[in-house]
Amino acid sequence: MLPVQTALLILLLPLASAVVIALFLRKQGALASYISTGAAGVLAVLSLQLIFGGKHDINQSWEWLRFGDFAISLGFKFDDLAALMLFVVSFVGFLIHVFSLGYMHDDAARARFFGGLSIFMFSMLGIVLADNLFMIFIFWELVGFSSWLLINHYHEKQSAADASKKAFIVNRVGDFGFLLGIIMCYWSNGTVNLTELGNHHVYSTAIPLLLFCGAMGKSAQMPLQVWLPDAMEGPTPVSALIHAATMVAAGIFMLCRIEPLMVPQALNVIMWIGTITALYAALCAIVQSDIKKVLAYSTLSQLGYMVAAFGLGSQTTNGAPLPVQLSDGTFSSAHFDVSVVLATGIGAAMFHLTTHAFFKALLFLGSGSVIMGCHHEQDIFKMGGLRKKMPVTFITFTIGVFAIIGMPGLAGFFSKDAILYLAMENNKAVFAILALTAVLTSFYMIRMWKLTFFGEARSKDASHAHESGISLTIPLIVLAILSAVGGYSGVFSKLAGTVAELVPEAHGSAHMTILFVSLAVMSIGGFTAWLFYKSAATDTLEVKSRVAFNGLTQMKESFDNLYNYYVAKIQQRFAMLLNFLEQVFLAGAIIRGFAGFVGLIGYAARALYVGSIHAYVYWFLLGLVLLWGFAAGIF
């Protein structure tokens, strides 16, 4: 089979699964789950064949629509970047399908759930393989639809319905900017093909920042981060697939795709937004009691790390000068090699994206195993003592925790250190904030780990907890292995090809400095949390410092309160004003006014029909006179 045919089959296989489930299997949950999981398994095999089967050099497109000189094409661009993302989506997606077989076994609507998983896989693969921005946008919106569908799985719960609507609306805000960026890119360059943009493009600050709006929505960067924590209302496998490993990473992947369009001003904005998001989310995670909410804010923070890493590419590397903005707003591109300038930023971002997909999917699935074992209890202060009751979950979850906090030898250690080293070399302020964020990450992760697995059971559900079945534990074991070895350069190089060569590496004294910093931030945060939090039913921080606890809680809720105020006091009142103007002028003066005028003419004309032939003769003669006057030129 030709590589293009393999790529087409990879794209269409989950779509076929979704169509079959939607049309024929809506009442047959078991069969639907097996078909969706089987399709995901075949998809993973085909993806591995495409990734390891030869060179990553597919670049082919077909015209889809044409309007005059404007044409929209659909095609494939498969390079090292796409190969890395394809592995994450297909392989992690398959493991989550397997986990879902056990987790959703008793769900009455599992056919709809697995159909939603299939349509999501189709949408995500479209983004990965797309060769132009228009195609990315089409599948970008399909990802938004499938995300809404899966978050809203428990639609009978008002909180789930509200969370799905919130996610959909917030993402549309970012997508509006994304669409404007695509239109402006086409208007400026005459193309949105990714390969052509890499060869020739117009430098602009507005284009990359507008395109970044899409990443702000999908990857939940400030100020569009408010939807992600609420999205935990969906089933836990959905949280693992969409809100940890794949969909939220689509924004990072898209940024790496459009790197030829980047200029220093845009990259600096991106860097600081990522840095601030990382710190903000880490602070919010400290006061969470829901195990999935802790992981949700952790995801926000780690996505901030990736965005900051990409933005750090705005600094010069190996002496290559950046383009300078001229007085007329254009950019001087003399001696500018964007691939050199952005190489380390892309490499660090994609490296952490990959390792994060492994250990965060592991943590979310591990939390699902805990929730199942504790009879759907999600409050970590009502858990405890699960270390002996759920040994497989405990061991694998521990590997995930140690990976995210940067334990030497595990995947997160290598990828996070690459970002910290890049920050240390290029921007000391960003380095200080990210190092503080790493301390907080170690703090809240060890807090969650200790309260969940150690001490005595603090509720009836925790005291009767039990290990999950084989369909839930096998994915945990596989992801634990990937979380342990996925950061080694040999493993990553086989997956990423030349992308692995872009990862920044510290040497000499810099290597020892960054190693010391990593060990210090991990130890300070971890030991502080271990000593500070007791195995109690209440939050120690809330007991000892209610001011700090309430302050962090209010910071978490401040964005929602701000948006609610804006909607109620500004947007709603503006809408009421528009409605008033529409009623008075459009519906009243224009529509009803013209209707009344026409009705008046009709009423007057109707009065002429008197039923007398003598009157009609007079009207006929008058008409002849008027016609004669018009023909004679009198009128």
Side-chain angles (χ1 to χ4, degrees):
M1 187 182 299
L2 295 175
V4 174
Q5 295 173 328
T6 303
L8 185 62
L9 185 58
I10 288 173
L11 179 62
L12 296 181
L13 192 60
L15 176 62
S17 170
V19 169
V20 169
I21 292 172
L23 294 179
F24 306 109
L25 303 176
R26 285 180 291 180
K27 301 296 184 182
Q28 303 180 50
L31 183 57
S33 65
Y34 296 141
I35 288 178
S36 179
T37 305
V42 175
L43 169 64
V45 173
L46 292 174
S47 298
L48 292 176
Q49 177 184 339
L50 189 62
I51 294 169
F52 298 109
K55 292 184 178 180
H56 304 155
D57 56 358
I58 301 176
N59 202 329
Q60 188 167 344
S61 63
W62 304 269
E63 187 175 294
W64 179 43
L65 291 175
R66 174 169 290 276
F67 304 97
D69 295 332
F70 174 72
I72 298 179
S73 298
L74 299 179
F76 296 139
K77 180 178 176 64
F78 184 73
D79 52 9
D80 290 334
L81 189 64
L84 181 60
M85 195 68 184
L86 178 62
F87 177 81
V88 171
V89 174
S90 61
F91 195 72
V92 175
F94 170 65
L95 292 176
I96 292 173
H97 272 78
V98 175
F99 184 89
S100 300
L101 289 175
Y103 192 88
M104 304 297 293
H105 182 269
D106 297 325
D107 193 286
R110 59 175 166 164
R112 172 161 52 85
F113 173 83
F114 279 95
L117 286 186
S118 290
I119 197 67
F120 170 79
M121 293 290 287
F122 165 70
S123 306
M124 195 67 208
L125 290 168
I127 293 176
V128 174
L129 297 173
D131 75 331
N132 67 83
L133 291 176
F134 279 126
M135 183 175 172
I136 288 179
F137 186 78
I138 292 170
F139 286 98
W140 198 267
E141 294 306 299
L142 284 173
V143 165
F145 162 74
S146 55
S147 173
W148 167 83
L149 181 66
L150 291 167
I151 296 171
N152 197 36
H153 180 73
Y154 301 126
H155 57 84
E156 65 278 1
K157 291 173 55 181
Q158 187 61 43
S159 57
D162 292 342
S164 64
K165 288 188 291 185
K166 185 176 183 179
F168 191 82
I169 292 170
V170 172
N171 273 275
R172 297 296 74 72
V173 174
D175 293 352
F176 179 70
F178 188 26
L179 181 59
L180 290 179
I182 294 173
I183 295 171
M184 188 173 178
C185 181
Y186 184 86
W187 180 57
S188 301
N189 298 286
T191 182
V192 290
N193 183 275
L194 297 171
T195 302
E196 294 175 3
L197 288 174
N199 297 329
H200 173 72
H201 58 273
V202 176
Y203 290 116
S204 166
T205 304
I207 292 175
L209 287 180
L210 285 172
L211 294 175
F212 176 60
C213 288
M216 288 173 65
K218 281 289 184 288
S219 294
Q221 296 299 287
M222 292 180 70
L224 301 181
Q225 83 288 353
V226 293
W227 67 271
L228 184 59
D230 290 4
M232 298 303 107
E233 291 290 339
T236 302
V238 172
S239 303
L241 178 62
I242 295 182
H243 309 122
T246 57
M247 189 192 88
V248 291
I252 314 301
F253 174 77
M254 186 270 288
L255 285 177
C256 295
R257 271 287 186 236
I258 63 170
E259 53 88 9
L261 300 174
M262 290 295 165
V263 295
Q265 288 79 359
L267 283 164
N268 280 326
V269 172
I270 292 171
M271 174 187 69
W272 280 111
I273 287 178
T275 303
I276 295 170
T277 302
L279 178 61
Y280 164 83
L283 290 169
C284 291
I286 294 174
V287 294
Q288 300 302 310
S289 58
D290 186 317
I291 187 172
K292 289 176 64 176
K293 288 289 183 70
V294 176
L295 296 177
Y297 280 106
S298 171
T299 299
L300 275 177
S301 185
Q302 298 305 306
L303 289 169
Y305 259 91
M306 300 174 208
V307 172
F310 179 84
L312 284 165
S314 63
Q315 310 300 322
T316 56
T317 304
N318 298 327
L322 291 169
V324 178
Q325 188 168 22
L326 305 178
S327 59
D328 60 358
T330 61
F331 289 83
S332 168
S333 58
H335 309 295
F336 174 52
D337 186 352
V338 71
S339 64
V340 173
V341 174
L342 289 173
T344 53
I346 293 173
M350 288 303 297
F351 190 21
H352 197 54
L353 182 154
T354 306
T355 60
H356 176 265
F358 297 152
F359 59 70
K360 187 53 65 67
L362 168 62
L363 289 170
F364 264 110
L365 294 186
S367 72
S369 179
V370 168
I371 292 169
M372 285 283 288
C374 293
H375 308 283
H376 298 282
E377 177 59 64
Q378 296 185 200
D379 190 340
I380 58 177
F381 291 100
K382 294 181 181 179
M383 296 179 183
L386 301 182
R387 178 168 53 96
K388 296 179 180 179
K389 298 178 182 297
M390 306 179 69
V392 176
T393 301
F394 167 70
I395 294 172
T396 55
F397 198 91
T398 300
I399 293 174
V401 169
F402 285 177
I404 194 174
I405 68 175
M407 176 66 73
L410 300 181
F413 167 77
F414 298 103
S415 59
K416 184 176 289 187
D417 278 12
I419 296 175
L420 289 175
Y421 170 67
L422 186 61
M424 184 179 70
E425 290 292 309
N426 294 338
N427 193 306
K428 295 298 188 293
V430 171
F431 170 73
I433 295 174
L434 293 182
L436 173 60
T437 303
V439 174
L440 297 174
T441 301
S442 181
F443 182 86
Y444 66 72
M445 290 303 298
I446 295 299
R447 163 187 179 265
M448 177 186 66
W449 179 62
K450 180 180 181 181
L451 293 174
T452 301
F453 292 100
F454 292 87
E456 299 298 326
R458 294 182 293 277
S459 68
K460 182 179 179 181
D461 291 326
S463 63
H464 292 90
H466 56 83
E467 187 60 89
S468 305
I470 190 171
S471 65
L472 278 72
T473 53
I474 287 180
L476 296 179
I477 295 171
V478 175
L479 287 169
I481 294 172
L482 289 173
S483 299
V485 305
Y488 288 92
S489 58
V491 176
F492 187 65
S493 296
K494 288 184 179 297
L495 291 175
T498 56
V499 176
E501 300 173 5
L502 307 180
V503 178
E505 295 184 10
H507 300 282
S509 60
H511 173 75
M512 296 305 299
T513 300
I514 202 67
L515 177 62
F516 172 77
V517 170
S518 298
L519 291 174
V521 297
M522 180 191 70
S523 301
I524 292 172
F527 282 117
T528 302
W530 185 268
L531 297 174
F532 186 75
Y533 284 95
K534 309 300 180 183
S535 296
T538 56
D539 194 324
T540 307
L541 180 61
E542 184 178 10
V543 173
K544 293 190 175 182
S545 180
R546 182 171 291 273
V547 174
F549 182 85
N550 290 339
L552 293 174
T553 303
Q554 288 298 319
M555 185 180 68
K556 174 183 73 70
E557 298 173 352
S558 60
F559 279 88
D560 282 327
N561 294 335
L562 178 62
Y563 288 141
N564 290 335
Y565 178 86
Y566 165 77
V567 171
K569 301 298 183 181
I570 300 176
Q571 180 175 294
Q572 189 64 21
R573 293 182 179 181
F574 182 66
M576 292 172 64
L577 174 63
L578 292 180
N579 180 67
F580 172 76
L581 296 176
E582 187 272 336
Q583 292 294 326
V584 173
F585 293 102
L586 183 61
I590 298 178
I591 297 177
R592 294 178 183 175
F594 276 112
F597 178 71
V598 172
L600 181 62
I601 293 175
Y603 180 80
R606 186 175 60 188
L608 300 177
Y609 292 88
V610 295
S612 173
I613 191 170
H614 302 287
Y616 296 157
V617 169
Y618 285 124
W619 285 117
F620 177 72
L621 293 175
L622 178 62
L624 286 178
V625 171
L626 293 174
L627 180 61
W628 173 80
F630 179 78
I634 296 176
F635 302 114

